[in-house]
């Protein structure tokens, strides 16, 4: 057990149930699949599927494109625990919908969390179908899942967020993408509360704030994971150009809607699976025989 993660809590109870379903399974990396990306689980070898409904404290996603299944298996040779589906702030169940699930991954032994999502691009040259590695975020949800009494068993009251998106892991993802010939953009991800898409004025605001992509997820999970000591790396699938970015006229923009988002993310599934598998293989090779949580 990673230090500090006490037994008896919901994450520990969920971890015990998972251990009973798959005795001896010790995932080293966790993964969260965003809208339309659930198909990535097909790339997992030797998979065990556990519905979220069987696991105490796990969310019940209410949005199409989010399956609500934990899939255990190997990707790139690394034992992983993959959360196919997330709960979002806009679903109205609070901001801590993913807290137990993420802490459970840590309790199972995951050192790292790979976050994926669908996002709109604020950079006209990075259009639908492209992948963007997240190098930092701006939390505009107006809320934080770490609000409330702090559980010191998981992490500190005031966790630092400089380096939240791990520079070493990001460099590794960049290298693997280059090796695979996958053009990987990089940028700052702004989390907006949704569920409405942004107005053109909001997109112009986000561009001025320094955002390169916009979405409605990922940031809460990053905060929870960093709080309990997991290294985080992230990749957004660009599903559309965000509405209103400077320099792009209306005729060149497809209207954004959830179905288009799911379709565009679904089309990128095989590429995301291959990239993450290559990344994990590279990481696993390097870390064989090494012990401590670290980055790079
Ligand atoms: N805005 C917010 N979330 C999104 C978008 C967008 O344009 N595309 C996919 N998720």
């Amino acid at each position: 057990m990673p230090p500090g993660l006490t037994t008896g809590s919901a994450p520990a109870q969920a971890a015990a149930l998972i251990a009973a379903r798959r005795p001896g399974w010790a995932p080293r990396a966790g993964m969260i699949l965003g809208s339309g990306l659930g198909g990535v689980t097909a790339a997992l070898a030797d998979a065990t599927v556990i519905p979220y409904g069987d696991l105490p404290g796990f969310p019940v996603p209410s949005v199409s494109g989010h399956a609500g299944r934990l899939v255990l298996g190997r990707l790139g040779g690394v034992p992983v625990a993959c959360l196919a589906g997330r709960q979002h702030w806009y679903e109205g169940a609070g901001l801590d919908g993913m807290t137990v699930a993420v802490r459970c991954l840590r309790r199972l032994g995951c050192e790292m969390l790979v976050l994926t999502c669908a996002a709109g691009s604020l950079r006209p040259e990075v259009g639908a179908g492209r992948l963007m590695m997240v190098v930092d975020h701006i939390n505009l949800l107006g809320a934080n899942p770490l609000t409330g009494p702090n559980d010191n068993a998981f992490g500190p009251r005031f966790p630092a967020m400089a380096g939240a998106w791990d520079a070493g892991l990001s460099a590794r993802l960049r290298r693997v993408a280059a090796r695979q010939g996958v053009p990987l953009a990089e940028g700052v991800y702004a989390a907006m509360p949704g569920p409405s898409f942004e107005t053109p004025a909001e997109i112009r605001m986000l561009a001025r704030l320094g955002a390169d992509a916009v979405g409605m997820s990922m940031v809460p999970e990053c905060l929870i994971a960093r709080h309990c000591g997991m290294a985080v790396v992230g990749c957004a699938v660009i599903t559309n150009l965000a509405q209103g970015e400077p320099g792009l006229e209306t005729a060149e923009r497809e209207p954004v809607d959830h179905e288009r988002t799911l379709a565009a993310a679904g089309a990128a599934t095989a590429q995301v699976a291959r990239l993450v598998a290559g990344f994990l293989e590279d990481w696993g090779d390097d870390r064989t025989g090494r012990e401590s949580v670290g980055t790079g």
Side-chain angles (χ1 to χ4, degrees), residues 29-33 112-116 231-235 276 279-280:
M31 199 176 0
I32 301 183
L33 302 178
M112 164 171 72
L113 185 61
V114 181
L115 293 176
T116 66
V232 173
V233 63
C235 183
V276 176
F279 167 79
L280 287 170

Side-chain angles (χ1 to χ4, degrees), residues 22 29 46 49 64-65 68 78 104 122 136 140 144 152 164 182 190 212 214 223 225-226 237 245 262 265 269 276 287:
R22 186 145 178 178
D46 191 18
V49 179
S64 64
V78 173
C104 174
L122 279 75
D136 206 346
L140 294 169
N144 186 311
N152 294 312
V182 174
D212 300 288
V214 58
L223 296 170
R226 291 301 302 137
V237 177
E245 69 285 5
L262 292 184
T269 295
V276 176
R287 296 180 61 78

Side-chain angles (χ1 to χ4, degrees), residues 22-29 74 78-81 108-110:
R22 186 145 178 178
W25 187 249
R28 296 179 56 210
R74 282 183 187 278
V78 173
V80 298
L108 288 168
C110 294

Side-chain angles (χ1 to χ4, degrees), residues 118-120 197-198 214-216 239-240 256 261:
F197 288 106
E198 300 71 34
V214 58
M216 305 171 193
T239 56
N240 57 284
V256 58
T261 299

Side-chain angles (χ1 to χ4, degrees), residues 35 117-122 189-190 192 194-198 203 213-217 237-243 256-258 261:
S35 297
C117 73
S121 170
L122 279 75
Y189 174 89
M192 291 286 276
S196 48
F197 288 106
E198 300 71 34
I203 292 300
V214 58
M216 305 171 193
S217 65
V237 177
I238 300 301
T239 56
N240 57 284
L241 290 174
Q243 309 283 291
V256 58
D257 64 35
H258 188 55
T261 299

